[in-house]
Amino acid sequence: MLFYSLFKSLVGKEIVVELKNDLRIRGTLHSVDQFMNLKLKEIRVEDEEKHPHMISVRHCFIRGSVVRYAELPPEAVDTKLLQDSSRVEARAQTAK
């Protein structure tokens, strides 16, 4: 749930998502769910010559299982909070 919480805090921010088929999409994160499915608005394809069929698309839904990477804006990620949260989650896992 750590990454879900992180992505929920990024709603409204611009992110870049690279898919497993090498398609890179830049857009504003509109919503995310617990399966890491993403809904992006105002998207742009990074390599339009390679994917001309995506030029006219403005909104998209991306299934979480096809995401290879997500580039997040560095100023929007609180790394100290993320480290603390991951420690707490790790302790909870070892306590089970």
Side-chain angles (χ1 to χ4, degrees):
M1 294 307 274
L2 181 64
F3 288 109
Y4 172 65
S5 300
L6 173 65
F7 275 86
K8 283 295 278 184
S9 70
L10 295 173
V11 170
K13 305 273 196 268
E14 186 173 278
I15 65 170
V16 178
V17 178
E18 182 176 327
L19 306 182
K20 290 180 180 177
N21 66 354
D22 296 326
L23 176 63
R24 289 176 52 88
I25 301 171
R26 177 181 301 274
T28 304
L29 183 62
H30 178 66
S31 65
V32 61
D33 66 12
Q34 69 270 21
F35 302 107
M36 298 304 292
N37 297 322
L38 307 170
K39 190 183 292 186
L40 299 177
K41 296 189 326 184
E42 302 166 18
I43 67 164
R44 295 181 308 282
V45 176
E46 299 254 318
D47 190 5
E48 292 179 348
E49 293 86 32
K50 198 172 178 183
H51 305 281
H53 58 283
M54 293 293 293
I55 293 174
S56 62
V57 178
R58 292 293 150 230
H59 307 296
C60 69
F61 176 85
I62 301 171
R63 184 177 170 153
S65 64
V66 300
V67 174
R68 181 181 294 151
Y69 298 110
E71 293 178 19
L72 310 176
E75 68 278 354
V77 179
D78 185 356
T79 55
K80 182 164 175 36
L81 179 63
L82 187 59
Q83 289 171 349
D84 292 342
S85 298
S86 62
R87 283 189 197 104
V88 168
E89 192 169 291
R91 270 187 246 138
Q93 289 292 333
T94 58
K96 286 183 180 179

